[in-house]
Amino acid sequence: MILSLNAYAKINLYLDVHEKRPDGYHDLVSVMQQVSLHDTISVRRLDSGITLTCTDSAIPTDERNIAHKCARAFFDYFRLNGGAEIHIEKKIPAAAGLAGGSTDGAAVLTLLNRLYGTGADAETLCEIGAKIGADVPFCIMGGTCICEGIGEILTPVTLPKKNYRILIAFPGNGVSTAEAFRALDSTPSDSAGHIPDDVLIPLKSGEIPKKLYNSFERAVLPVHPAAVRVKEILLKNGAVTAMMSGSGPSVFGLFSSEESLHPAENALMQAGFDVYPCEPV
Ligand code: ATP
């Protein structure tokens, strides 16, 4: 039996990374939103071993793949002898600040839990996934969440309506998350000084928040002119607001309707950027 699942990307509507702790980790506060852009993951049971194929030849298919790591962690956690054949149909650009790897890993944990009838709850799957990648737990939970601690404390947020549209553009030249943290540590903090409520209160009343914030912009935008250009194009062509997602370099714009997104979509395509119109999940 083969089971399949959409593995959704995320954007950060708010991301305030605090100063590095003595143990090298960073505390942060983030509002994360799952979006309809997705990979598709298919998994089949094997008697033993983990095999992985991916439609994107640039993604490693061995034990470096986050989906592979999550499968290994699943079998170890439950002390199972089984195996898995995993296939990833890749649509989410990699190293783009969209949790493309984490979401594949999250989907593999969810699918193996079903295939092996382990009956673990979401919390247990999050515990297994957190050891592999900071964004895996959020990708298991999905929807809208406030994320705190070093990324492991998740509070789901129920939003009555999510009637805005999102246009994500990938400016090329992926950013390594580890490098983005290093760059952040060497620039003076410009901490947001506001709170996720500035994002969540408008969203709860059906409005697009104007006060978005991402600490990584100060470290990544100065060395990524294409991301700056994408942001300018979004704002000049009808985005209510625009910001880089996660450690970048993807930039997203928020729009009040699907029609109002088209001018920016066309302008970005003409400028040679990959664009992904989507909606909040
Ligand atoms: P985040 O937003 O969580 O920081 P990201 O979107 O910036 O993540 P990923 O797409 O997860 O970054 O990819 C980061 C690196 O992980 C890439 O260099 C890629 O080679 C590697 N990788 C391993 N497994 C996967 C996978 N299943 N999909 C995408 N990239 C993967």
Side-chain angles (χ1 to χ4, degrees), residues 2 51 73 94 136 146 173 233:
I2 297 178
T51 67
V136 178
I146 298 176
N173 297 323
I233 295 174

Side-chain angles (χ1 to χ4, degrees), residues 11-12 22 40 43 47 95 196 198 226 233:
I11 56 171
N12 302 80
T40 304
V43 180
D47 289 339
D198 288 332
I233 295 174

